Amino acid sequence: MTTFHELDPVDAKISARDVSVFYGDKQALDRVSIDIATEYVTAFIGPSGCGKSTFLRTLNRMNDTIASARVEGEIRLDGEDIYRSGMDVVQLRARVGMVFQKPNPFPKSIYENVAYGPRIHGLAGNKADLDAIVERSLRRAGLWDEVKDRLADSGTALSGGQQQRLCIARAIAVDPEVILMDEPCSALDPIATARIEELIGELKGRYAIVIVTHSMQQAARVSQRTAFFHLGTMVEYGKTSDIFTNPREERTKDYITGRYG
Amino acid sequence: MSPVIPLLLVLALGVVGWLVARARARTFRRSDPARRPHSLPGYHAWFVALCAGLPAGLFALVWSGASQGLVMASVLADPAARDLPAFGITRDAILAEARALATGQAEAAFHPLARALVPAFEHALRLYGGVGVTATLVLGFAGGAWAFLRLRPEFTARTQVERIVMGLLLGASLVAILTTFGIVASLLFETFRFFEFVSPLRFLFGTHWAPDPMAAVGPATGEAYGALPLFWGTLYIGAVIAMLVAIPLGLMSAIYLTQYASPALRRWVKPMLEILAGVPTVVYGYFAALTVAPAIRDAAKAIGIASASSESALAAGLVMGIMIIPFVSSMADDSIAAVPQAMRDGSLAMGATRYETIRRVLVPAALPGIVAGVMLAVSRAIGETMIVVMAAGATARLTANPFESMTTVTFQIVAMLTGEGSFDHPATLSAFALGMVLFLVTLALNFIALRVVKRFREAYD
């Protein structure tokens, strides 16, 4: 049901097979299969309600927080089934980090926001280690120079774009293998958006990055692989350049030429 | 003069004004269908009804109070009143009797002087009653006519009604505020009278409390009015023991209900918990005095605490703590639930467990709301009367031993006001000073709580 373009074989970090998601009786996602690799940024595009965010949230089991949600199929992280019974969800989420649509820093200091993950996972042996992790994470998120003199200020006092980079720093701080981004720029202005896109380019290769976006231009700018979702199915998957210049499905073509969505 | 009859007249005037104005407003539309009147006929009707009813109604209410004084003055000016005793209970009783006779509430009077005053009373009541009714009617009619004459197709009745309604709402909220000031004023007066006998410093910081309502007032009177043991007892029972019970239990049940309980369970447990707040405190008092206090005494005696008494601070504090659990838990519940879902998701997505999320993100974010809830609970606890009256005892004692009996400010207010002392004795007046202190402390606590809540609201906006 999905049209796959021919791709070079890669080592899949995450491989999903026939993943379906139900909210109560309503099916939100129908048999999605995809491989996600560390070498590429993978973008999920599609109109609202097409299931792209739902699929993203299955990858670190954030759907567990919704009581009525039920997942079928198989998702493997480094070959390990993340939905098997006895899977440690807490460990999983430390390995698969997430950045949300709206920046959601905790109402704590900038330092404490970044130190939150390392503290709960015991990653730092002492204060100096923790300081080093905080600095490294903020540097990687491109926020260090802006906040290094006011680490004790509240994270909620930053601008929207800075808050989102703080959330990225927070996710990076636990040294995840995958970072899921759920429309990370939808609440930001164009300049802050450009800054985040640049950051995604810098993080590519170190982490497997999956980004859900409404903006086709953004998908074209930041990603190397694109999956197009429509009405709960994954319609087409391939190299970003192929999807945008040479779509094989009528629906994909209609969407990227702006006929709907 | 009873305000009932004038008020009924005002109501009738209003209804008539309403009907007439609506009929008039409807003719506007008919006479010139091309131009739409500014307001619907209903608004014209309400404008006239309110203009006719409101000033007249207010006058009738004020007059019913003010005319009492006028009636009394004219009765006292009557020659028959010269034989009245100068002041005191007898004078008031005669006047009350005469009034009852004049208004037909009584058939016979014991005092001959009362009968002599009846004609004067009847005359004055008739006079001022008549004046009141007439003035009310004139005022109502004038208001209605003035409003009616202003009606035009382009008259902005809709906006005017809006303004009158706003004024009414403002007036309603002022009543509550003015009542608070009235309470303070009435306490303040008696409190100053008390401080004529006892110096405020001795009252606030003295450690000996043994007022005797029968004792003659002399220079040594103040020595029996050191209220420190009462303040200590109040805080120890209400703010220490009760909070040691209510804060952990209330907070934990709020966390369980918001974060762990299934929606079905929450639907059952939350109202059950809130029922605790609806139980009359006298019932808690029985529970404390008959069940908890003896159990505590026996338990304390069993482990060798000889001083344990059958009325103890611990019993009162424990039961009071149970009573205020709903105050703490419902405020904590609300403020935890108000923490955005995004905070919870953010923490869970970092690989935090549910408990870590609660402890490190939700509770700190909700802390101002929780603190405010605790302060409201404390102010409720220290103002609580029935439980301490029944279970804490009457002995003013400065001790930290929770097994001994203690007494509180509220208990002493009850004791002083229900004693046999005369009203102007310092023992009775001390109740007002104690009430004043209690009022100020709870006011301060509520004020702080509201400030804290306000800061909390700004956290996410």
Side-chain angles (χ1 to χ4, degrees), chain A residues 122-166:
Chain A
L123 300 184
N126 54 46
K127 180 84 171 86
D129 284 356
L130 193 60
D131 288 349
I133 292 176
V134 169
E135 177 173 347
R136 192 176 66 223
S137 307
L138 284 168
R139 275 189 195 283
R140 279 192 194 160
L143 194 60
W144 175 253
D145 290 332
E146 291 161 61
V147 301
K148 64 183 176 202
D149 298 324
R150 48 179 179 138
L151 292 174
D153 288 6
S154 173
T156 53
L158 295 172
S159 75
Q162 288 173 326
Q163 285 190 15
Q164 195 60 300
R165 277 181 281 149
L166 178 62

mmCIF file of all heavy atoms in Angstrom, chain A residues 122-166:
data_model
loop_
_atom_site.group_PDB
_atom_site.id
_atom_site.type_symbol
_atom_site.label_atom_id
_atom_site.label_comp_id
_atom_site.label_asym_id
_atom_site.label_seq_id
_atom_site.Cartn_x
_atom_site.Cartn_y
_atom_site.Cartn_z
ATOM 1 N N GLY A 122 20.973 9.579 36.421
ATOM 2 C CA GLY A 122 22.241 9.389 37.131
ATOM 3 C C GLY A 122 23.439 9.417 36.194
ATOM 4 O O GLY A 122 24.360 8.619 36.333
ATOM 5 N N LEU A 123 23.452 10.306 35.212
ATOM 6 C CA LEU A 123 24.530 10.312 34.229
ATOM 7 C C LEU A 123 25.773 11.050 34.718
ATOM 8 O O LEU A 123 26.843 10.886 34.152
ATOM 9 C CB LEU A 123 24.057 10.968 32.921
ATOM 10 C CG LEU A 123 22.865 10.305 32.234
ATOM 11 C CD1 LEU A 123 22.572 10.986 30.905
ATOM 12 C CD2 LEU A 123 23.132 8.822 32.010
ATOM 13 N N ALA A 124 25.599 11.907 35.737
ATOM 14 C CA ALA A 124 26.740 12.689 36.201
ATOM 15 C C ALA A 124 27.118 12.251 37.608
ATOM 16 O O ALA A 124 26.257 12.135 38.472
ATOM 17 C CB ALA A 124 26.397 14.175 36.191
ATOM 18 N N GLY A 125 28.411 11.995 37.809
ATOM 19 C CA GLY A 125 28.857 11.547 39.121
ATOM 20 C C GLY A 125 28.947 12.686 40.106
ATOM 21 O O GLY A 125 28.705 12.511 41.294
ATOM 22 N N ASN A 126 29.304 13.861 39.629
ATOM 23 C CA ASN A 126 29.439 14.999 40.545
ATOM 24 C C ASN A 126 29.029 16.276 39.843
ATOM 25 O O ASN A 126 28.669 16.282 38.669
ATOM 26 C CB ASN A 126 30.884 15.081 41.060
ATOM 27 C CG ASN A 126 31.862 15.112 39.899
ATOM 28 O OD1 ASN A 126 31.661 15.849 38.928
ATOM 29 N ND2 ASN A 126 32.918 14.306 39.981
ATOM 30 N N LYS A 127 29.128 17.363 40.574
ATOM 31 C CA LYS A 127 28.682 18.658 40.075
ATOM 32 C C LYS A 127 29.452 19.070 38.816
ATOM 33 O O LYS A 127 28.870 19.585 37.859
ATOM 34 C CB LYS A 127 28.875 19.692 41.198
ATOM 35 C CG LYS A 127 28.456 21.100 40.837
ATOM 36 C CD LYS A 127 26.959 21.315 41.039
ATOM 37 C CE LYS A 127 26.577 22.776 40.901
ATOM 38 N NZ LYS A 127 26.311 23.211 39.540
ATOM 39 N N ALA A 128 30.763 18.786 38.812
ATOM 40 C CA ALA A 128 31.582 19.193 37.660
ATOM 41 C C ALA A 128 31.135 18.452 36.403
ATOM 42 O O ALA A 128 31.029 19.049 35.324
ATOM 43 C CB ALA A 128 33.060 18.917 37.944
ATOM 44 N N ASP A 129 30.849 17.137 36.546
ATOM 45 C CA ASP A 129 30.362 16.363 35.402
ATOM 46 C C ASP A 129 29.061 16.952 34.875
ATOM 47 O O ASP A 129 28.863 17.103 33.664
ATOM 48 C CB ASP A 129 30.079 14.911 35.819
ATOM 49 C CG ASP A 129 31.378 14.130 35.961
ATOM 50 O OD1 ASP A 129 32.440 14.716 35.667
ATOM 51 O OD2 ASP A 129 31.306 12.964 36.362
ATOM 52 N N LEU A 130 28.173 17.264 35.827
ATOM 53 C CA LEU A 130 26.862 17.785 35.440
ATOM 54 C C LEU A 130 27.021 19.122 34.707
ATOM 55 O O LEU A 130 26.403 19.355 33.666
ATOM 56 C CB LEU A 130 25.981 17.941 36.680
ATOM 57 C CG LEU A 130 24.498 18.180 36.421
ATOM 58 C CD1 LEU A 130 23.909 17.027 35.634
ATOM 59 C CD2 LEU A 130 23.753 18.333 37.739
ATOM 60 N N ASP A 131 27.904 19.981 35.266
ATOM 61 C CA ASP A 131 28.164 21.265 34.604
ATOM 62 C C ASP A 131 28.636 21.036 33.177
ATOM 63 O O ASP A 131 28.207 21.725 32.244
ATOM 64 C CB ASP A 131 29.234 22.054 35.368
ATOM 65 C CG ASP A 131 28.712 22.595 36.687
ATOM 66 O OD1 ASP A 131 27.486 22.535 36.891
ATOM 67 O OD2 ASP A 131 29.523 23.061 37.494
ATOM 68 N N ALA A 132 29.512 20.043 33.012
ATOM 69 C CA ALA A 132 30.066 19.769 31.682
ATOM 70 C C ALA A 132 28.966 19.304 30.730
ATOM 71 O O ALA A 132 28.904 19.732 29.574
ATOM 72 C CB ALA A 132 31.163 18.717 31.790
ATOM 73 N N ILE A 133 28.076 18.422 31.229
ATOM 74 C CA ILE A 133 26.985 17.933 30.376
ATOM 75 C C ILE A 133 26.075 19.088 29.974
ATOM 76 O O ILE A 133 25.693 19.213 28.806
ATOM 77 C CB ILE A 133 26.164 16.850 31.120
ATOM 78 C CG1 ILE A 133 27.007 15.589 31.308
ATOM 79 C CG2 ILE A 133 24.902 16.515 30.340
ATOM 80 C CD1 ILE A 133 26.322 14.516 32.116
ATOM 81 N N VAL A 134 25.754 19.950 30.942
ATOM 82 C CA VAL A 134 24.870 21.073 30.657
ATOM 83 C C VAL A 134 25.498 21.981 29.600
ATOM 84 O O VAL A 134 24.858 22.360 28.616
ATOM 85 C CB VAL A 134 24.551 21.866 31.952
ATOM 86 C CG1 VAL A 134 23.852 23.172 31.613
ATOM 87 C CG2 VAL A 134 23.693 21.028 32.878
ATOM 88 N N GLU A 135 26.786 22.277 29.785
ATOM 89 C CA GLU A 135 27.441 23.171 28.824
ATOM 90 C C GLU A 135 27.490 22.544 27.432
ATOM 91 O O GLU A 135 27.144 23.185 26.426
ATOM 92 C CB GLU A 135 28.858 23.523 29.294
ATOM 93 C CG GLU A 135 29.573 24.399 28.268
ATOM 94 C CD GLU A 135 30.919 24.912 28.746
ATOM 95 O OE1 GLU A 135 31.207 24.804 29.952
ATOM 96 O OE2 GLU A 135 31.668 25.425 27.892
ATOM 97 N N ARG A 136 27.859 21.242 27.382
ATOM 98 C CA ARG A 136 27.970 20.573 26.092
ATOM 99 C C ARG A 136 26.618 20.553 25.377
ATOM 100 O O ARG A 136 26.519 20.832 24.190
ATOM 101 C CB ARG A 136 28.490 19.147 26.304
ATOM 102 C CG ARG A 136 28.917 18.464 25.013
ATOM 103 C CD ARG A 136 29.503 17.100 25.290
ATOM 104 N NE ARG A 136 28.496 16.189 25.812
ATOM 105 C CZ ARG A 136 28.710 15.361 26.827
ATOM 106 N NH1 ARG A 136 29.873 15.345 27.446
ATOM 107 N NH2 ARG A 136 27.752 14.556 27.240
ATOM 108 N N SER A 137 25.560 20.250 26.141
ATOM 109 C CA SER A 137 24.231 20.159 25.522
ATOM 110 C C SER A 137 23.787 21.516 25.004
ATOM 111 O O SER A 137 23.243 21.625 23.900
ATOM 112 C CB SER A 137 23.218 19.638 26.547
ATOM 113 O OG SER A 137 23.678 18.449 27.121
ATOM 114 N N LEU A 138 24.022 22.559 25.806
ATOM 115 C CA LEU A 138 23.610 23.897 25.378
ATOM 116 C C LEU A 138 24.424 24.346 24.167
ATOM 117 O O LEU A 138 23.911 25.014 23.269
ATOM 118 C CB LEU A 138 23.756 24.893 26.530
ATOM 119 C CG LEU A 138 22.661 24.804 27.598
ATOM 120 C CD1 LEU A 138 23.032 25.617 28.823
ATOM 121 C CD2 LEU A 138 21.321 25.286 27.040
ATOM 122 N N ARG A 139 25.707 23.962 24.137
ATOM 123 C CA ARG A 139 26.532 24.301 22.967
ATOM 124 C C ARG A 139 25.997 23.613 21.720
ATOM 125 O O ARG A 139 25.842 24.237 20.673
ATOM 126 C CB ARG A 139 27.985 23.864 23.207
ATOM 127 C CG ARG A 139 28.807 24.875 23.969
ATOM 128 C CD ARG A 139 30.268 24.459 23.964
ATOM 129 N NE ARG A 139 31.021 25.209 24.967
ATOM 130 C CZ ARG A 139 31.410 26.474 24.817
ATOM 131 N NH1 ARG A 139 31.117 27.129 23.701
ATOM 132 N NH2 ARG A 139 32.073 27.079 25.772
ATOM 133 N N ARG A 140 25.708 22.313 21.845
ATOM 134 C CA ARG A 140 25.206 21.587 20.678
ATOM 135 C C ARG A 140 23.881 22.156 20.200
ATOM 136 O O ARG A 140 23.582 22.124 19.017
ATOM 137 C CB ARG A 140 25.022 20.106 21.025
ATOM 138 C CG ARG A 140 26.315 19.345 20.955
ATOM 139 C CD ARG A 140 26.044 17.860 21.004
ATOM 140 N NE ARG A 140 27.296 17.169 21.260
ATOM 141 C CZ ARG A 140 27.368 15.933 21.728
ATOM 142 N NH1 ARG A 140 26.248 15.280 21.991
ATOM 143 N NH2 ARG A 140 28.532 15.367 21.929
ATOM 144 N N ALA A 141 23.087 22.648 21.136
ATOM 145 C CA ALA A 141 21.788 23.217 20.761
ATOM 146 C C ALA A 141 21.932 24.665 20.302
ATOM 147 O O ALA A 141 20.937 25.325 20.001
ATOM 148 C CB ALA A 141 20.817 23.125 21.924
ATOM 149 N N GLY A 142 23.186 25.165 20.268
ATOM 150 C CA GLY A 142 23.426 26.515 19.788
ATOM 151 C C GLY A 142 22.860 27.591 20.690
ATOM 152 O O GLY A 142 22.497 28.666 20.229
ATOM 153 N N LEU A 143 22.771 27.283 21.993
ATOM 154 C CA LEU A 143 22.153 28.238 22.905
ATOM 155 C C LEU A 143 23.143 28.774 23.925
ATOM 156 O O LEU A 143 22.892 29.760 24.595
ATOM 157 C CB LEU A 143 20.976 27.539 23.624
ATOM 158 C CG LEU A 143 19.977 28.403 24.371
ATOM 159 C CD1 LEU A 143 19.308 29.395 23.447
ATOM 160 C CD2 LEU A 143 18.925 27.543 25.061
ATOM 161 N N TRP A 144 24.311 28.133 24.014
ATOM 162 C CA TRP A 144 25.248 28.419 25.087
ATOM 163 C C TRP A 144 25.625 29.901 25.163
ATOM 164 O O TRP A 144 25.554 30.512 26.235
ATOM 165 C CB TRP A 144 26.501 27.555 24.935
ATOM 166 C CG TRP A 144 27.574 27.868 25.933
ATOM 167 C CD1 TRP A 144 28.755 28.512 25.708
ATOM 168 C CD2 TRP A 144 27.546 27.559 27.328
ATOM 169 N NE1 TRP A 144 29.470 28.620 26.863
ATOM 170 C CE2 TRP A 144 28.757 28.046 27.880
ATOM 171 C CE3 TRP A 144 26.637 26.929 28.171
ATOM 172 C CZ2 TRP A 144 29.071 27.908 29.225
ATOM 173 C CZ3 TRP A 144 26.945 26.795 29.515
ATOM 174 C CH2 TRP A 144 28.145 27.288 30.030
ATOM 175 N N ASP A 145 26.004 30.482 24.015
ATOM 176 C CA ASP A 145 26.477 31.862 24.049
ATOM 177 C C ASP A 145 25.396 32.832 24.509
ATOM 178 O O ASP A 145 25.680 33.864 25.090
ATOM 179 C CB ASP A 145 26.986 32.282 22.663
ATOM 180 C CG ASP A 145 28.284 31.546 22.320
ATOM 181 O OD1 ASP A 145 29.010 31.185 23.273
ATOM 182 O OD2 ASP A 145 28.538 31.311 21.124
ATOM 183 N N GLU A 146 24.141 32.471 24.238
ATOM 184 C CA GLU A 146 23.061 33.389 24.609
ATOM 185 C C GLU A 146 22.699 33.297 26.087
ATOM 186 O O GLU A 146 22.160 34.239 26.661
ATOM 187 C CB GLU A 146 21.812 33.095 23.762
ATOM 188 C CG GLU A 146 21.994 33.461 22.293
ATOM 189 C CD GLU A 146 20.985 32.762 21.404
ATOM 190 O OE1 GLU A 146 19.784 32.987 21.576
ATOM 191 O OE2 GLU A 146 21.407 31.963 20.538
ATOM 192 N N VAL A 147 22.955 32.149 26.714
ATOM 193 C CA VAL A 147 22.455 31.969 28.089
ATOM 194 C C VAL A 147 23.548 31.713 29.121
ATOM 195 O O VAL A 147 23.251 31.575 30.305
ATOM 196 C CB VAL A 147 21.437 30.804 28.173
ATOM 197 C CG1 VAL A 147 20.260 31.068 27.254
ATOM 198 C CG2 VAL A 147 22.084 29.471 27.843
ATOM 199 N N LYS A 148 24.830 31.659 28.689
ATOM 200 C CA LYS A 148 25.856 31.213 29.634
ATOM 201 C C LYS A 148 25.959 32.115 30.865
ATOM 202 O O LYS A 148 26.368 31.660 31.922
ATOM 203 C CB LYS A 148 27.214 31.107 28.939
ATOM 204 C CG LYS A 148 27.750 32.433 28.433
ATOM 205 C CD LYS A 148 29.057 32.241 27.698
ATOM 206 C CE LYS A 148 29.511 33.562 27.109
ATOM 207 N NZ LYS A 148 30.446 33.384 26.002
ATOM 208 N N ASP A 149 25.562 33.390 30.739
ATOM 209 C CA ASP A 149 25.663 34.294 31.885
ATOM 210 C C ASP A 149 24.412 34.307 32.744
ATOM 211 O O ASP A 149 24.342 35.020 33.742
ATOM 212 C CB ASP A 149 25.928 35.726 31.399
ATOM 213 C CG ASP A 149 27.252 35.806 30.657
ATOM 214 O OD1 ASP A 149 28.185 35.093 31.076
ATOM 215 O OD2 ASP A 149 27.323 36.551 29.665
ATOM 216 N N ARG A 150 23.389 33.593 32.329
ATOM 217 C CA ARG A 150 22.156 33.611 33.114
ATOM 218 C C ARG A 150 21.532 32.217 33.208
ATOM 219 O O ARG A 150 20.346 32.025 32.987
ATOM 220 C CB ARG A 150 21.158 34.609 32.536
ATOM 221 C CG ARG A 150 20.977 34.484 31.021
ATOM 222 C CD ARG A 150 19.952 35.483 30.553
ATOM 223 N NE ARG A 150 19.776 35.394 29.109
ATOM 224 C CZ ARG A 150 18.596 35.455 28.516
ATOM 225 N NH1 ARG A 150 17.520 35.580 29.236
ATOM 226 N NH2 ARG A 150 18.510 35.378 27.211
ATOM 227 N N LEU A 151 22.373 31.261 33.558
ATOM 228 C CA LEU A 151 21.892 29.884 33.675
ATOM 229 C C LEU A 151 20.877 29.716 34.796
ATOM 230 O O LEU A 151 20.077 28.784 34.793
ATOM 231 C CB LEU A 151 23.073 28.934 33.915
ATOM 232 C CG LEU A 151 24.019 28.785 32.724
ATOM 233 C CD1 LEU A 151 25.227 27.948 33.110
ATOM 234 C CD2 LEU A 151 23.300 28.154 31.543
ATOM 235 N N ALA A 152 20.911 30.651 35.776
ATOM 236 C CA ALA A 152 19.988 30.524 36.909
ATOM 237 C C ALA A 152 18.630 31.146 36.623
ATOM 238 O O ALA A 152 17.704 30.988 37.405
ATOM 239 C CB ALA A 152 20.603 31.170 38.152
ATOM 240 N N ASP A 153 18.515 31.856 35.470
ATOM 241 C CA ASP A 153 17.217 32.440 35.141
ATOM 242 C C ASP A 153 16.230 31.352 34.749
ATOM 243 O O ASP A 153 16.602 30.265 34.328
ATOM 244 C CB ASP A 153 17.364 33.417 33.963
ATOM 245 C CG ASP A 153 18.073 34.691 34.373
ATOM 246 O OD1 ASP A 153 18.535 34.733 35.531
ATOM 247 O OD2 ASP A 153 18.190 35.606 33.541
ATOM 248 N N SER A 154 14.941 31.698 34.845
ATOM 249 C CA SER A 154 13.923 30.709 34.522
ATOM 250 C C SER A 154 13.906 30.416 33.022
ATOM 251 O O SER A 154 14.021 31.318 32.197
ATOM 252 C CB SER A 154 12.545 31.219 34.944
ATOM 253 O OG SER A 154 11.557 30.327 34.477
ATOM 254 N N GLY A 155 13.743 29.128 32.693
ATOM 255 C CA GLY A 155 13.676 28.732 31.290
ATOM 256 C C GLY A 155 12.480 29.313 30.582
ATOM 257 O O GLY A 155 12.495 29.528 29.376
ATOM 258 N N THR A 156 11.412 29.593 31.349
ATOM 259 C CA THR A 156 10.198 30.111 30.722
ATOM 260 C C THR A 156 10.338 31.583 30.360
ATOM 261 O O THR A 156 9.481 32.131 29.680
ATOM 262 C CB THR A 156 8.987 29.948 31.655
ATOM 263 O OG1 THR A 156 9.309 30.523 32.915
ATOM 264 C CG2 THR A 156 8.646 28.491 31.841
ATOM 265 N N ALA A 157 11.439 32.243 30.819
ATOM 266 C CA ALA A 157 11.611 33.660 30.510
ATOM 267 C C ALA A 157 12.294 33.862 29.163
ATOM 268 O O ALA A 157 12.390 34.979 28.676
ATOM 269 C CB ALA A 157 12.426 34.340 31.619
ATOM 270 N N LEU A 158 12.755 32.777 28.527
ATOM 271 C CA LEU A 158 13.425 32.901 27.229
ATOM 272 C C LEU A 158 12.403 33.162 26.126
ATOM 273 O O LEU A 158 11.206 32.972 26.309
ATOM 274 C CB LEU A 158 14.180 31.604 26.922
ATOM 275 C CG LEU A 158 15.339 31.252 27.848
ATOM 276 C CD1 LEU A 158 15.852 29.857 27.536
ATOM 277 C CD2 LEU A 158 16.457 32.271 27.705
ATOM 278 N N SER A 159 12.908 33.589 24.953
ATOM 279 C CA SER A 159 12.010 33.760 23.807
ATOM 280 C C SER A 159 11.590 32.389 23.291
ATOM 281 O O SER A 159 12.179 31.366 23.649
ATOM 282 C CB SER A 159 12.718 34.528 22.701
ATOM 283 O OG SER A 159 13.651 33.683 22.062
ATOM 284 N N GLY A 160 10.540 32.364 22.442
ATOM 285 C CA GLY A 160 10.014 31.086 21.951
ATOM 286 C C GLY A 160 11.074 30.230 21.271
ATOM 287 O O GLY A 160 11.199 29.036 21.532
ATOM 288 N N GLY A 161 11.887 30.866 20.406
ATOM 289 C CA GLY A 161 12.914 30.117 19.692
ATOM 290 C C GLY A 161 13.979 29.591 20.638
ATOM 291 O O GLY A 161 14.437 28.453 20.516
ATOM 292 N N GLN A 162 14.340 30.444 21.620
ATOM 293 C CA GLN A 162 15.330 29.999 22.607
ATOM 294 C C GLN A 162 14.770 28.859 23.453
ATOM 295 O O GLN A 162 15.470 27.915 23.780
ATOM 296 C CB GLN A 162 15.728 31.169 23.506
ATOM 297 C CG GLN A 162 16.586 32.196 22.808
ATOM 298 C CD GLN A 162 16.820 33.422 23.672
ATOM 299 O OE1 GLN A 162 15.946 33.825 24.441
ATOM 300 N NE2 GLN A 162 17.994 34.020 23.556
ATOM 301 N N GLN A 163 13.476 28.966 23.798
ATOM 302 C CA GLN A 163 12.848 27.892 24.585
ATOM 303 C C GLN A 163 12.908 26.574 23.826
ATOM 304 O O GLN A 163 13.190 25.527 24.409
ATOM 305 C CB GLN A 163 11.380 28.238 24.871
ATOM 306 C CG GLN A 163 11.211 29.296 25.934
ATOM 307 C CD GLN A 163 9.747 29.438 26.354
ATOM 308 O OE1 GLN A 163 8.922 28.588 26.072
ATOM 309 N NE2 GLN A 163 9.445 30.518 27.042
ATOM 310 N N GLN A 164 12.653 26.637 22.509
ATOM 311 C CA GLN A 164 12.659 25.394 21.751
ATOM 312 C C GLN A 164 14.075 24.819 21.673
ATOM 313 O O GLN A 164 14.258 23.612 21.782
ATOM 314 C CB GLN A 164 12.081 25.649 20.349
ATOM 315 C CG GLN A 164 11.688 24.399 19.584
ATOM 316 C CD GLN A 164 10.624 23.561 20.271
ATOM 317 O OE1 GLN A 164 10.824 23.086 21.390
ATOM 318 N NE2 GLN A 164 9.495 23.361 19.622
ATOM 319 N N ARG A 165 15.080 25.689 21.543
ATOM 320 C CA ARG A 165 16.461 25.186 21.547
ATOM 321 C C ARG A 165 16.834 24.650 22.920
ATOM 322 O O ARG A 165 17.589 23.686 23.033
ATOM 323 C CB ARG A 165 17.432 26.279 21.093
ATOM 324 C CG ARG A 165 17.503 26.378 19.564
ATOM 325 C CD ARG A 165 18.460 27.428 19.112
ATOM 326 N NE ARG A 165 17.875 28.760 19.204
ATOM 327 C CZ ARG A 165 18.567 29.866 19.457
ATOM 328 N NH1 ARG A 165 19.876 29.799 19.642
ATOM 329 N NH2 ARG A 165 17.952 31.018 19.537
ATOM 330 N N LEU A 166 16.253 25.272 23.981
ATOM 331 C CA LEU A 166 16.482 24.742 25.328
ATOM 332 C C LEU A 166 15.892 23.332 25.430
ATOM 333 O O LEU A 166 16.495 22.424 26.021
ATOM 334 C CB LEU A 166 15.845 25.665 26.371
ATOM 335 C CG LEU A 166 15.950 25.225 27.823
ATOM 336 C CD1 LEU A 166 17.400 25.143 28.271
ATOM 337 C CD2 LEU A 166 15.187 26.168 28.750
#
